[in-house]
């Protein structure tokens, strides 16, 4: 059986484990959702029990889990008690915001990290090499919410270059007609360049915040992998054969060095999906991460469980994509 087929089969117990653990974790959260949503002072204990019954919290835990599994098999993630909407509807509205931000941040991180890591390896001990290690250290040591607050302070409050961090678009501008849910893409499809630049400006600071988080592992791995490849025997053979430096670096060294880098890119993108939770809160970004935090605060089980399940599915999809890319780069890695 191919590696992709084995990975697909392995996702079944993985997803079931995520469903089970998430379900149990939401049930051990401190507080009673029935009391929270029946917070009217005039409500009696009987009214609270009625709310608990309507939420299904009066049933045994195993029965609650079984009913949740049955609903999932029908594509039903439940309803959000705080908004009154279906969780699938909320995610459909909010997931494009998180996806647009994460993809843009990942593009920035990759565009900076790969050249920086490769140049640092080629010029070991130079200023670029020291800069790459400094960036890697800062990226690891600084939490994303601290980075975001510092960027807001400098570029919005002190300098005034960045727009107010209040979401995806200035409140005085209208949203583009929804096609993909990505404001920049929908604005381009509508031919509205002013709206495109407005949406892009709102996205720069939160995207840079997430990109700095991703720069550390990508730069470090690109540098280390390139150094290891440059010291390998087949590179020494290529030099002895009289091949040009450019051909050795571009054709042989870079391609072989990309194998561990691509794996790191897949892992980093998955980590960014979790890091965007705090970034969305700091920048008032209306994505699924901010929605998940609100669900924890409101003791709203269904959105939190749905968030964990969706993130697990995306994580698995990213890993499969990474396996395919590695196979394309190195055909010896058979599917």
């Amino acid at each position: 059986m191919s590696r992709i087929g084995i990975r697909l089969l392995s996702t079944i117990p993985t997803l079931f484990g995520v469903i089970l653990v998430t379900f149990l974790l939401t049930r051990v959260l401190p507080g009673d959702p029935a009391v929270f949503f029946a917070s009217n002072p005039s409500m009696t204990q009987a009214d609270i029990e009625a709310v608990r019954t309507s939420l299904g919290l009066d049933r045994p835990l195993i029965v609650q889990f079984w009913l949740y599994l049955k609903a999932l098999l029908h594509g039903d993630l439940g309803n959000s008690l705080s908004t009154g909407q279906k969780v699938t509807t909320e995610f459909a509205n909010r997931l494009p915001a998180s996806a647009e931000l994460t993809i843009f941040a990942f593009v920035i991180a990759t565009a900076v990290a790969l050249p920086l890591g490769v140049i640092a390896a080629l010029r070991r001990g130079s200023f670029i090499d020291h800069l790459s290690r400094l960036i890697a250290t800062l990226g690891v040591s600084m939490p994303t919410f601290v980075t975001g607050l510092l960027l807001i302070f400098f570029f919005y409050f002190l300098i005034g270059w960045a727009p107010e961090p209040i979401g995806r678009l200035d409140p005085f501008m209208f949203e583009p007609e929804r096609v993909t849910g990505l404001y920049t893409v929908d604005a381009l499809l509508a031919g509205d360049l002013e709206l495109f630049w407005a949406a892009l400006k709102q996205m720069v600071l939160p995207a840079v915040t997430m990109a700095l988080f991703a720069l550390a592992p990508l730069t470090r791995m690109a540098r280390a992998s390139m150094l290891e490849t440059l010291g390998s025997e087949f590179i020494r053979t290529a030099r002895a054969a009289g091949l040009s430096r450019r051909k050795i670096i571009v054709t042989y060294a870079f391609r072989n060095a990309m194998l561990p880098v691509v794996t790191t890119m897949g892992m980093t993108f998955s980590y960014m999906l979790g890091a965007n939770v705090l970034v969305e809160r700091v920048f008032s970004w209306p994505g699924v991460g901010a929605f998940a935090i609100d669900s924890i605060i409101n003791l709203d089980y269904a959105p939190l469980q749905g968030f964990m399940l969706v993130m697990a599915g995306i994580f698995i999809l990213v890993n499969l994509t990474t396996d395919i890319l590695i196979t394309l780069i190195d055909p010896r890695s058979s599917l």
Side-chain angles (χ1 to χ4, degrees), residues 304-322:
L304 184 57
Q305 293 172 172
F307 172 78
M308 297 297 293
L309 185 58
V310 169
M311 290 301 106
I314 294 176
F315 186 88
I316 291 171
L317 180 62
V318 169
N319 285 340
L320 288 174
T321 304
T322 302

Side-chain angles (χ1 to χ4, degrees), residues 135-187:
I135 291 176
T137 303
L138 290 176
V140 171
S141 60
M142 292 185 63
T144 53
F145 71 91
V146 173
T147 304
L149 291 174
L150 288 175
L151 291 178
I152 291 173
F153 178 73
F154 282 109
F155 291 100
Y156 168 67
F157 183 75
L158 288 183
I159 305 177
W161 288 357
E164 188 176 359
I166 53 173
R168 303 180 71 186
L169 205 60
D170 189 286
F172 295 103
M173 301 192 72
F174 293 102
E175 299 177 4
E177 182 180 354
R178 188 182 179 92
V179 179
T180 64
L182 312 180
Y183 280 8
T184 51
V185 176
D186 290 348

Side-chain angles (χ1 to χ4, degrees), residues 48-58:
I48 294 176
E49 291 299 328
V51 173
R52 184 176 288 111
T53 301
S54 66
L55 296 177
L57 300 176
D58 60 328

Side-chain angles (χ1 to χ4, degrees), residues 91-149:
F91 280 8
N93 293 331
R94 296 171 180 268
L95 192 57
S98 297
E100 184 176 33
L101 178 60
T102 305
I103 292 172
F104 185 44
F106 185 71
V107 169
I108 294 175
T110 304
V112 174
L114 293 187
L116 185 62
V118 170
I119 295 174
L122 294 175
R123 301 180 180 179
R124 193 173 182 180
S126 65
F127 170 77
I128 295 294
D129 189 17
H130 293 303
L131 178 63
S132 69
R133 284 184 282 182
L134 175 63
I135 291 176
T137 303
L138 290 176
V140 171
S141 60
M142 292 185 63
T144 53
F145 71 91
V146 173
T147 304
L149 291 174

